[in-house]
């Protein structure tokens, strides 16, 4: 298809799912999340479209949607991106608008908005190429991949020459690893049992079910009450046995000393990692927590940009890097983070869950395996069994492994009916909620009922 085709419109939707009704997604910092997406569609003159989104947990999704809309002048009228050069130029333009960048810089709402549009552009380009994003990326030369990365602020830790050497070192095994991925999938772990709002019986049942479904790692939310966490972790450990890994996640709840005290108390249950023990901006705090107690440290879902990831790695503050497909400025910046992690030899275990994050981040992890790190050691993608039925190309997880996507694009496209039903505040689901409990119950969709009930 001709590359002279242009982007004709940028369409934004405020889409929200009332997951707080069943406490799905609840944790110590976020007790009542409504999984939401500020959803963007790039339309082209040819009729092709690219889909992307930012994930939020309800209020503020309208702010996110407005920020995405503010990027329209940078996108509409430009040639539809098709090549690495096109995608690099678009990423640069969206993240270097000086007046919008001032609102960050390169973090927060404006940066996430840029990421949503960048990801939609990757969906468009990969769809037009007839490849899933992970394969589209892995089909690029090392030089093309290098051109996608903004090395400003990184060169003290990772130079372009070092990055190119990493990419070239992974070239020989690309085809073999891609075939292995198609045949065997990518390791997954599940957070489905561990939401803080679930009672003990549900925790135990879902933990056992996770093991029966082939997962060798689960994750529990912690941080609200230490005695409760000791009890819940004991229940989980008894439910899954000694060989299954149990990670725990505090969702930024603690100060440094509190994190050390809390994790020292939980250490006898052999947690695989403690995730987000403190502020995602506190590099030295993470380093102190890592040094002050025996449980490995993971973070990343709220880390604002490549610079903070760089510092976490430089400071020896993390044992696991957790990229998020919709937190930083899209595929391009996540490629920078993957390269940083490879340079420092730290495994990447992506954050997912939410709405659509599993769909997106599987592509990044699989590309990392094929063309960057070349390794599955210590790696797994988070999986949460929520809301996948709203996507036209939902994740496929079986026997505890993500199955490689084979449809073209970024797996980001929502079904039109789902967009219409969950449009906020005037979609049928939200009109029903506004009408009162009886009507609200009547209009609850299959996706909003308790998981595994």
């Amino acid at each position: 298809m001709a590359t002279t085709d242009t982007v004709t419109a940028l369409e934004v939707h405020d889409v929200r799912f009332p997951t707080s009704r069943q406490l799905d997604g609840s944790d110590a910092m976020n007790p009542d999340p409504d999984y939401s997406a500020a959803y963007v569609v790039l339309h082209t003159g040819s009729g092709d479209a690219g889909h992307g989104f930012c994930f939020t947990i309800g209020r503020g999704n309208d702010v996110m949607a407005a920020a995405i809309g503010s990027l329209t002048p940078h996108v509409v009228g430009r040639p539809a991106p098709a090549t690495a050069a096109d995608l690099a130029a678009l990423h640069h333009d969206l993240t270097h608008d000086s007046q919008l960048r001032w609102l960050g810089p390169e973090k927060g709402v404006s940066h996430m908005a840029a990421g949503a549009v960048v990801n939609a552009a990757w969906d468009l380009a990969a769809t037009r190429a007839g490849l899933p994003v992970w394969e589209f990326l892995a089909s690029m030369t090392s030089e093309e991949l290098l051109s996608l990365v903004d090395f400003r602020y990184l060169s003290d830790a990772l130079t372009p020459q070092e990055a190119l050497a990493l990419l070239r070192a992974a070239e020989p095994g690309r085809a073999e690893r891609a075939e292995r991925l198609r045949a065997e999938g990518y390791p997954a772990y599940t957070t489905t049992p561990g939401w803080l709002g679930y009672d003990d019986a549900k925790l135990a049942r879902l933990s056992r079910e996770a093991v029966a479904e082939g997962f060798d790692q689960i994750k529990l939310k912690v941080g609200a009450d230490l005695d409760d966490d000791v009890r819940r972790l004991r229940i989980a450990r008894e439910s899954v046995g000694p060989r299954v890994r149990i990670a725990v996640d505090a969702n930024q709840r603690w100060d440094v000393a509190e994190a050390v005290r809390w994790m020292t108390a939980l250490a006898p249950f052999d947690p695989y990692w403690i995730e987000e023990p403190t502020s995602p901006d506190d590099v030295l705090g993470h380093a102190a927590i890592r040094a002050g107690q025996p449980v490995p440290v993971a973070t990343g879902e709220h880390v604002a940009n490549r610079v903070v990831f760089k510092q976490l790695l430089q400071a020896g503050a993390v044992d696991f890097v957790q990229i998020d497909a919709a937190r930083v400025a899209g595929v391009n910046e996540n490629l920078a983070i993957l390269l940083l992690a490879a340079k420092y030899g730290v495994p990447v275990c992506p954050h997912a869950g939410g709405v659509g994050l599993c769909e997106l981040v599987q592509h990044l992890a699989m590309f990392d395996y094929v063309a960057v790190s070349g390794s599955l050691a210590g790696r797994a993608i988070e999986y949460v069994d929520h809301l996948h039925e709203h996507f036209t190309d939902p994740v496929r997880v079986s026997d505890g492994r993500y199955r490689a996507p084979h449809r073209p694009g970024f797996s980001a496209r929502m079904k039109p009916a789902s967009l219409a039903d969950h449009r906020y505040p005037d979609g049928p689901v939200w009109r029903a909620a506004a009408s009162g409990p009886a009507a609200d119950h009547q209009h609850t969709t299959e996706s909003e009922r308790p998981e595994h009930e």
Side-chain angles (χ1 to χ4, degrees):
M1 191 171 295
T3 58
T4 54
D5 187 23
T6 61
V7 178
T8 57
L10 185 154
E11 179 185 358
V12 189
H13 302 265
D14 182 344
V15 184
R16 309 188 193 188
F17 298 86
T19 50
S20 62
R21 297 173 186 173
Q22 307 298 340
L23 298 179
D24 296 334
S26 54
D27 59 55
M29 285 292 278
N30 309 291
D32 58 349
D34 284 325
Y35 282 174
S36 304
Y39 187 86
V40 58
V41 185
L42 302 181
H43 295 280
T44 69
S46 68
D48 294 331
H51 299 248
F53 53 86
C54 291
F55 170 65
T56 80
I57 60 169
R59 289 184 296 278
N61 203 50
D62 50 345
V63 177
M64 198 71 256
I68 294 171
S70 74
L71 297 171
T72 298
H74 287 293
V75 181
V76 172
R78 76 189 294 146
T83 66
D86 297 336
L87 292 158
L90 177 62
H91 177 266
H92 179 274
D93 291 349
L94 293 175
T95 57
H96 285 71
D97 178 311
S98 65
Q99 295 183 10
L100 292 176
R101 185 182 181 278
W102 181 268
L103 302 176
E106 296 186 65
K107 57 180 174 286
V109 169
S110 60
H111 203 52
M112 291 172 67
V117 177
V118 166
N119 285 344
W122 278 91
D123 179 61
L124 174 61
T127 298
R128 290 161 68 99
L131 295 170
V133 158
W134 72 269
E135 283 194 67
F136 183 55
L137 272 164
S139 72
M140 293 182 177
T141 67
S142 293
E143 291 74 15
E144 286 175 319
L145 292 171
L146 188 75
S147 74
L148 296 167
V149 175
D150 183 353
F151 281 94
R152 182 184 290 184
Y153 312 133
L154 297 186
S155 59
D156 58 318
L158 177 71
T159 67
Q161 295 76 19
E162 288 174 317
L164 184 59
L166 286 167
L167 291 166
R168 285 178 173 167
E171 284 178 7
R174 280 194 195 184
E176 179 183 352
R177 288 190 294 273
E179 282 306 309
R180 181 181 175 190
L181 194 58
R182 294 186 190 98
E184 301 176 9
Y186 195 105
Y189 76 88
T190 180
T191 306
T192 295
W195 302 117
L196 208 57
Y198 291 173
D199 61 33
D200 291 354
K202 188 169 186 177
L203 164 63
R205 175 172 58 82
L206 294 180
S207 296
R208 291 191 299 269
E209 288 178 3
V211 176
E213 290 165 3
F215 293 100
D216 59 10
Q217 179 177 333
I218 65 171
K219 188 167 76 181
L220 268 61
K221 300 294 184 173
V222 298
D225 181 271
L226 180 55
D227 289 339
D228 285 346
D229 287 347
V230 169
R231 186 190 74 254
R232 293 173 67 252
L233 204 51
R234 180 180 293 112
I235 290 168
R237 179 56 72 199
E238 290 172 351
S239 298
V240 303
R243 292 188 180 88
V244 172
R245 299 189 297 267
I246 303 177
V248 295
D249 183 357
N251 292 95
Q252 315 158 34
R253 182 64 183 259
W254 302 319
D255 284 351
V256 171
E258 188 177 19
V260 170
R261 177 178 65 85
W262 209 292
M263 290 313 302
T264 300
L266 296 183
F269 299 101
D270 193 25
Y272 188 57
W273 70 55
I274 173 56
E275 180 174 334
E276 285 202 310
T278 193
S279 165
D281 300 327
D282 190 354
V283 174
L284 297 182
H286 277 86
I289 292 166
R290 184 171 184 256
Q293 51 78 49
V295 178
V297 172
T299 200
E301 72 177 87
H302 281 84
V303 170
N305 53 43
R306 67 199 185 283
V307 180
V308 181
F309 277 106
K310 178 194 76 169
Q311 293 180 347
L312 287 163
L313 291 163
Q314 286 175 315
V318 289
D319 299 280
F320 299 93
V321 164
Q322 295 178 305
I323 60 171
D324 185 288
R327 172 65 59 177
V328 300
V331 170
N332 300 58
E333 192 166 20
N334 268 311
L335 173 55
I337 297 162
L338 291 173
L339 287 164
L340 283 164
K343 159 75 182 291
Y344 283 86
V346 176
V348 175
C349 294
H351 169 251
V355 54
L357 296 182
C358 293
E359 277 71 20
L360 292 185
V361 83
Q362 60 180 335
H363 290 269
L364 301 178
M366 292 177 187
F367 159 71
D368 173 65
Y369 169 57
V370 172
V372 182
S373 70
S375 175
L376 296 177
R379 290 160 166 81
I381 307 171
E382 183 175 24
Y383 175 66
V384 180
D385 191 10
H386 294 164
L387 307 175
H388 304 297
E389 67 274 16
H390 296 291
F391 289 85
T392 61
D393 184 22
V395 294
R396 297 173 298 131
V397 173
S398 61
D399 299 323
R401 298 178 82 87
Y402 275 80
R403 301 300 158 178
H406 55 84
R407 295 184 187 177
F410 211 171
S411 307
R413 188 168 307 201
M414 280 191 185
K415 296 176 181 177
S418 294
L419 290 174
D421 287 349
H422 295 85
R423 186 178 60 249
Y424 187 86
D426 57 346
V429 167
W430 294 103
R431 287 202 311 269
S435 300
D440 181 43
H441 176 76
Q442 181 181 350
H443 285 79
T444 297
T445 65
E446 188 67 30
S447 66
E448 290 128 24
R449 295 180 186 132
E451 294 300 321
H452 303 292
E453 289 290 305

